[in-house]
Amino acid sequence: MTENTQQQNPAPTTELPTQYAPAEVEGALYERWVDRGYFTADANSEKEPYTIVIPPPNVTGALHLGHAFQVTLMDALTRRKRMQGYETLWLPGMDHAGIATQNKVEQQLAEEGKSRQDLGREAFTDRVWQWKDEYGGRILGQLRRLGAGLDWSRERFTMDEGLSKAVQTIFKNLYDDGLIYRAERIINWCPRCLTAISDIEVDYQDDDGELVSLKYGEGDETVVVATTRVETMLGDTAVAVHPDDERYAHLIGRRIKLPLTDRTIPVVADTHVDPEFGTGAVKVTPAHDPNDFAIGQRHDLESMTIMDERGVITVHGPFQGLDRFEARSAIVAAMREQGRVVSEKRPYVHSVGHCSRCKTTVEPRLSLQWWVKVDALAQAAGDAVRDGRVALHPKDMEKRYFDWVDNLNDWCISRQLWWGHRIPVWYGPDGEVVCVGPDDPIPGTEAEGWTQDEDVLDTWFSSGLWPFSTLGWPEKTPDLEKFYSTDVLVTGHDIIFFWVVRMMMFGLYAMEDQVPFKTVALTGLVRDEFGKKMSKSNPNAVDPLDWMDAYGSDAVRFTLATGANPGADVPIGEDWVKASRNFANKIWNATRFALMNGATVEGPLPAPEAMTATDRWILSRLNKTVAEVDAFYDDFQFAKLSDALYHFAWDEVFDWYVELSKTTFFEGGEQAKVSGRVLGEVLDVTLRLLHPIVPFVTETLWTTLTGGETLVIADWPKDSGFRDAAAESEIETLQQVITEVRRFRADQGLQPGQRVPARLDLDGTALAPHEAAIRQLLRLQPEGDDFSATATLPVGGAQVALDLSGTIDVAAERKRLAKDLAAAEKEKAQATGKLGNEAFLAKAPDAVVDKIRGRLAKADEDIARIQQQLERLPQA
């Protein structure tokens, strides 16, 4: 079942401690793995490669449950592939996180009474690097704590020398191919961070605002428009109506007076306007709204910028110098004085964009920025999924992917920051524009009138190169040759659009149509146990390090894997982590028992005919589990494979096989040696199967059990093909007998350890060899001379006769059950009466009716159960 290529030293005789203490094991064990180079990939290896690059966490970040979740899945995938013999590279790194990092350092400076302007660009950038070296990257240490088997020798940073060269190279290539250009367009602008921000950096939330309807024009040229951003009216350059709206047909092409200004603006006809919404007329502010900008382009309208980068009004005397929100109130007041406010709806709840960093309300703003022309790039990214070169998992995510990639707008890549990859474009004294590659000379000096563009690139620009820049591109490195394309990208479905698509576009462009990854395994978000989103502002936020301190890293990892259904959100609660801790303890205690009772991995497995049916059953079930787990891994079904391993290990190995084999071990002899070898094999394979999910406890137990060097590079189990349907059927019958008798004992109120005289009639059944095990597990003592069968259970083709005369008060038990039966029958009668009442059914809410139907079903179940218990009681 396993080749045991590392083995075999004889299993050590050192006993395991009585309890598993994760804190005493995990840190030292992880450092041992790293020091011995188990996670370091070899580009010169002849093994088949398997590559994953970690989605780079922000240099400012700390480990949260979302990170822990995805890292657990990636670690499980790479650990398994490493055990399967692949040359496995899991590459770590961090993102420089432009806005977030710059904000951190600016806050630090503010505490010193300084600003970045006080330092100047060069000194400020030096200060950010100092911050990064001192405080950045703590999350990488936390990933080690989680057990992430990353190749730390290849750690990358999106602003290290190699990645900077990659960024400059692809910018130059795209620029030369006409795919990067500079233009004025509407962008998301943060008046606090003073930069353009990407769509993913905008958080939308419902805010209480006001919807104000305003009257433009005079007399028969009057038009009413409604807006939540009254202050932008100062930049209106048209009113738009639908070309088929007869109400405004007489106005199309005419100019009307714009209130509070000395300007007139045209009425234009545009099919973008919905005549059924509001008044059917909309104000058009091309410099401050993306839809209005598009209308302005179609009708050659002027674009008037009416506020500065800080959101302060810059036009029209009475309002000039006011903050945008102060101007909003002042303009409404002024319009009200002129009788131009038709209606005010307040509060008016609507979706408003906020900067994800500082929570400031985002301002759509016309701005001169750098853009990537995405048409051809997006087409290639869509085709790669359509033709099967890249698989999205789960497959139903493809629709979301295509909805986005097929309708992608050009990408604004410039940011008005000082921290980041500076745009490699120089402007000359006579209007020259020169894009410079990494090996190109600077076209001129500052003294000669040459200046570099002040902006930096969007963080997503450099992270979009991550799958190949981290492997050495644009150089043709051995790593790039060996490990590209990467195999799997594990990431959240919430960033399909912002990161996955951009990696696809850049990868296909830079790497000559080679895809950046073969599979995208999309995950959901981690939520609390009630399905609510976790947030630092809510009391449900959890620091995974706290749980790791309390219960161990394996417990956190197993809990996260158990909830990992493809693409679905993952609920998690502390009680579930405790349950996973209990599972780790169960593995520990069962292995400890096995070691004390002769479990061994020495020598070949005995021949099947030398084994008991119980031995053959567990080996058959083991091989089926190996096959099942492999299939689940290949389908990224982490929840199902974790559940399969949990139930196999806990239920079948520990609760059934170990218990059924105790008699064999107690009796000793040759059969005990056979079962000891089987138990050693089962534990060996089970620990291997569990290792990718719970690496620490399995490593400790496996090395003790087998004497092997490490599970990290041990062989992954293979399905040997061994199946024994007869043994499986036999043990299933045995389980049925034990389960049924246990249930009967519990129904009679017997304590689990209470011994009862019994006669077992097993002749002619497959259960005959299991009499000792049945008696041991069911606490059944041999029948004596005065044995009197007071209850007989026909189960599994056998009969179990019990003498309960000395264990329960039959009369009292009959009286108690009769009382319970009467109560259940009364409940049934009441529920039946209500459900038979047509008047009641006509008036009662559906929820009430459903509740009564549930009561009736429960009463029926109780009646059947109690009647069965009465039938089984001995006669008084």
Side-chain angles (χ1 to χ4, degrees):
M1 197 164 303
T2 56
E3 296 175 12
N4 294 330
T5 54
Q6 297 180 65
Q7 291 185 265
Q8 216 41 298
N9 303 322
T13 57
T14 305
E15 291 187 2
L16 289 167
T18 55
Q19 291 184 323
Y20 177 51
E24 298 176 10
V25 170
E26 293 176 351
L29 190 52
Y30 185 84
E31 292 308 317
R32 176 176 174 270
W33 289 334
V34 174
D35 292 344
R36 295 197 177 187
Y38 296 145
F39 304 140
T40 303
D42 181 3
N44 297 315
S45 167
E46 294 183 0
K47 295 178 182 178
E48 185 177 346
Y50 183 83
T51 314
I52 292 181
V53 291
I54 196 170
N58 286 354
V59 67
T60 60
L63 186 71
H64 57 65
L65 280 170
H67 291 131
F69 171 51
Q70 291 182 357
V71 166
T72 294
L73 305 188
M74 286 182 275
D75 196 35
L77 290 171
T78 51
R79 283 181 182 270
R80 173 176 175 256
K81 286 296 183 180
R82 193 178 290 112
M83 294 173 74
Q84 286 180 318
Y86 288 79
E87 193 60 42
T88 303
L89 171 61
W90 186 20
L91 192 147
M94 291 182 297
D95 192 284
H96 65 277
I99 295 178
T101 308
Q102 179 158 318
N103 279 350
K104 285 278 188 185
V105 179
E106 288 198 79
Q107 290 166 11
Q108 198 176 62
L109 287 173
E111 293 171 3
E112 302 170 10
K114 299 177 183 177
S115 69
R116 61 179 163 122
Q117 286 76 18
D118 293 332
L119 272 66
R121 184 169 193 145
E122 186 174 346
F124 176 78
T125 303
D126 289 343
R127 180 70 177 261
V128 181
W129 277 107
Q130 292 172 18
W131 182 93
K132 184 261 180 185
D133 292 340
E134 187 172 355
Y135 300 105
R138 59 177 171 157
I139 190 172
L140 298 182
Q142 293 165 343
L143 295 180
R144 299 167 84 98
R145 173 75 189 282
L146 189 65
L150 291 151
D151 183 350
W152 296 108
S153 70
R154 287 177 165 86
E155 181 186 332
R156 302 306 300 266
F157 179 53
T158 51
M159 283 187 62
D160 68 29
E161 184 178 351
L163 269 66
S164 294
K165 182 176 183 180
V167 167
Q168 199 171 349
T169 299
I170 200 164
F171 188 101
K172 170 71 170 172
N173 293 347
L174 289 164
Y175 181 88
D176 289 347
D177 286 345
L179 297 176
I180 283 183
Y181 65 95
R182 199 181 190 208
E184 277 197 321
R185 296 269 186 91
I186 293 287
I187 45 88
N188 300 307
W189 181 266
C190 176
R192 187 289 182 191
C193 297
L194 300 180
T195 182
I197 58 177
S198 67
D199 292 340
I200 197 173
E201 292 163 326
V202 179
D203 292 337
Y204 287 91
Q205 64 186 49
D206 288 341
D207 285 359
D208 287 343
E210 61 178 346
L211 180 66
V212 184
S213 295
L214 304 173
K215 183 168 63 176
Y216 286 13
E218 304 289 349
D220 64 353
E221 294 182 344
T222 297
V223 176
V224 176
V225 297
T227 180
T228 58
R229 301 168 65 219
V230 175
E231 67 281 5
T232 62
M233 68 153 292
L234 299 176
D236 285 357
T237 56
V239 169
V241 298
H242 194 277
D244 298 331
D245 194 334
E246 295 182 359
R247 293 172 295 176
Y248 303 111
H250 66 291
L251 289 178
I252 295 173
R254 297 172 65 175
R255 300 184 71 88
I256 61 174
K257 181 78 167 59
L258 179 66
L260 306 183
T261 73
D262 56 3
R263 294 190 292 119
T264 61
I265 56 176
V267 177
V268 299
D270 197 283
T271 54
H272 170 76
V273 180
D274 180 0
E276 303 298 324
F277 183 77
T279 63
V282 297
K283 59 190 288 300
V284 181
T285 320
H288 293 277
D289 183 273
N291 293 322
D292 292 3
F293 179 78
I295 293 174
Q297 293 284 95
R298 288 194 289 272
H299 297 277
D300 198 23
L301 300 176
E302 181 184 2
S303 294
M304 290 183 59
T305 300
I306 55 101
M307 64 182 77
D308 67 12
E309 59 189 13
R310 297 183 183 276
V312 174
I313 302 298
T314 58
V315 299
H316 201 69
F319 311 108
Q320 192 168 1
L322 294 180
D323 172 80
R324 53 186 169 154
F325 300 119
E326 295 172 337
R328 181 177 298 176
S329 299
I331 291 171
V332 170
M335 293 286 277
R336 192 183 295 114
E337 285 183 10
Q338 293 188 7
R340 291 186 174 275
V341 175
V342 176
S343 67
E344 296 177 76
K345 185 176 181 180
R346 183 188 302 116
Y348 178 74
V349 179
H350 62 132
S351 181
V352 177
H354 296 261
C355 174
S356 62
R357 303 286 183 248
C358 66
K359 310 309 177 188
T360 302
T361 300
V362 168
E363 189 65 38
R365 186 170 189 258
L366 184 63
S367 182
L368 181 62
Q369 303 283 348
W370 285 93
W371 303 81
V372 173
K373 184 176 177 61
V374 301
D375 290 350
L377 300 174
Q379 176 70 43
D383 290 346
V385 174
R386 287 189 174 92
D387 63 24
R389 282 177 291 156
V390 176
L392 265 59
H393 192 88
K395 190 174 176 60
D396 59 16
M397 287 288 177
E398 285 186 3
K399 183 180 185 303
R400 293 180 62 184
Y401 178 85
F402 292 134
D403 284 347
W404 180 262
V405 78
D406 292 345
N407 297 284
L408 204 58
N409 295 318
D410 285 359
W411 170 21
C412 175
I413 56 172
S414 46
R415 297 292 180 267
Q416 289 64 56
L417 302 171
W418 286 356
W419 172 245
H421 293 283
R422 196 162 174 182
I423 288 176
V425 172
W426 268 256
Y427 305 106
D430 299 318
E432 302 96 331
V433 179
V434 178
C435 180
V436 175
D439 300 320
D440 297 336
I442 304 302
T445 67
E446 189 172 340
E448 295 168 338
W450 285 89
T451 58
Q452 186 177 0
D453 194 294
E454 292 289 326
D455 290 350
V456 301
L457 287 163
D458 178 12
T459 294
W460 294 100
F461 189 95
S462 51
S463 60
L465 315 181
W466 190 250
F468 53 93
S469 63
T470 51
L471 297 173
W473 187 91
E475 307 300 330
K476 293 183 178 180
T477 65
D479 276 4
L480 193 65
E481 178 70 22
K482 177 74 174 179
F483 296 111
Y484 191 86
S485 300
T486 69
D487 287 87
V488 181
L489 173 72
V490 178
T491 191
H493 62 63
D494 55 325
I495 58 171
I496 293 177
F497 322 127
F498 308 109
W499 190 43
V500 177
V501 168
R502 286 166 185 177
M503 284 190 288
M504 289 281 281
M505 292 193 302
F506 280 171
L508 292 163
Y509 172 79
M511 296 299 295
E512 300 176 350
D513 288 333
Q514 277 187 280
V515 295
F517 24 72
K518 302 176 184 74
T519 300
V520 182
L522 294 162
T523 70
L525 305 177
V526 178
R527 297 183 178 272
D528 71 12
E529 59 193 302
F530 305 107
K532 295 181 180 178
K533 183 178 180 180
M534 287 190 176
S535 169
K536 291 179 181 178
S537 59
N538 292 334
N540 66 351
V542 173
D543 184 343
L545 295 172
D546 291 341
W547 281 352
M548 284 190 270
D549 287 340
Y551 309 112
S553 297
D554 285 336
V556 174
R557 291 169 60 111
F558 192 76
T559 306
L560 290 166
T562 302
N565 290 298
D569 289 348
V570 183
I572 186 171
E574 187 166 8
D575 286 345
W576 304 344
V577 183
K578 289 179 182 177
S580 295
R581 184 269 317 274
N582 294 343
F583 179 48
N585 289 341
K586 183 78 169 181
I587 302 170
W588 183 273
N589 293 332
T591 305
R592 187 168 176 271
F593 167 85
L595 287 169
M596 291 188 296
N597 285 274
T600 180
V601 296
E602 292 186 68
L605 278 172
E609 54 269 22
M611 300 179 189
T612 66
T614 307
D615 294 334
R616 297 194 303 276
W617 162 74
I618 197 63
L619 288 175
S620 184
R621 289 295 307 128
L622 178 65
N623 276 283
K624 284 184 176 180
T625 301
V626 171
E628 190 176 37
V629 167
D630 274 334
F632 286 144
Y633 261 116
D634 292 341
D635 198 34
F636 303 97
Q637 296 280 359
F638 294 98
K640 290 182 178 179
L641 74 88
S642 299
D643 188 64
L645 284 170
Y646 176 90
H647 287 293
F648 174 72
W650 191 307
D651 298 344
E652 297 187 281
V653 179
F654 306 147
D655 278 358
W656 282 110
Y657 180 73
V658 168
E659 293 299 320
L660 289 171
S661 301
K662 280 183 177 178
T663 302
T664 301
F665 290 131
F666 178 76
E667 292 174 350
E670 194 59 33
Q671 194 62 62
K673 292 180 181 178
V674 170
S675 292
R677 180 64 187 90
V678 170
L679 179 54
E681 179 75 8
V682 170
L683 286 175
D684 177 11
V685 174
T686 301
L687 292 170
R688 292 174 193 251
L689 291 173
L690 283 165
H691 178 72
I693 305 291
V694 285
F696 293 109
V697 67
T698 52
E699 172 86 341
T700 306
L701 295 172
W702 186 84
T703 53
T704 303
L705 171 71
T706 68
E709 177 188 341
T710 178
L711 262 178
V712 178
I713 54 174
D715 293 326
W716 181 254
K718 296 178 181 177
D719 176 8
S720 70
F722 177 81
R723 300 290 190 274
D724 193 323
E728 288 198 45
S729 176
E730 181 174 325
I731 301 305
E732 285 171 10
T733 303
L734 176 60
Q735 290 171 326
Q736 181 185 357
V737 170
I738 292 171
T739 301
E740 189 64 25
V741 176
R742 279 176 174 167
R743 183 181 297 117
F744 175 75
R745 286 175 57 105
D747 287 345
Q748 306 312 313
L750 296 176
Q751 295 301 312
Q754 189 172 352
R755 303 194 71 81
V756 177
R759 180 174 62 242
L760 304 184
D761 184 4
L762 308 177
D763 291 344
T765 74
L767 299 176
H770 302 287
E771 179 168 353
I774 293 171
R775 287 189 178 277
Q776 178 186 337
L777 292 176
L778 292 173
R779 303 297 187 267
L780 303 179
Q781 63 190 43
E783 56 188 294
D785 294 337
D786 57 348
F787 178 83
S788 174
T790 57
T792 300
L793 306 177
V795 135
Q799 286 198 340
V800 179
L802 304 175
D803 182 354
L804 304 179
S805 56
T807 58
I808 60 172
D809 184 335
V810 176
E813 185 66 10
R814 281 190 175 278
K815 184 176 181 181
R816 181 185 70 80
L817 290 173
K819 183 178 178 182
D820 291 346
L821 180 61
E825 289 174 337
K826 181 179 180 181
E827 175 75 1
K828 177 178 180 177
Q830 290 176 343
T832 302
K834 286 185 177 181
L835 293 174
N837 186 333
E838 295 295 334
F840 170 78
L841 293 176
K843 295 179 181 179
D846 290 344
V848 172
V849 175
D850 288 343
K851 186 174 181 180
I852 294 171
R853 288 195 179 109
R855 285 168 51 191
L856 176 59
K858 176 67 166 53
D860 282 334
E861 290 175 6
D862 289 344
I863 290 168
R865 175 179 54 80
I866 296 167
Q867 286 176 337
Q868 187 179 53
Q869 289 177 245
L870 284 166
E871 289 170 4
R872 286 178 167 178
L873 272 177
Q875 296 301 313

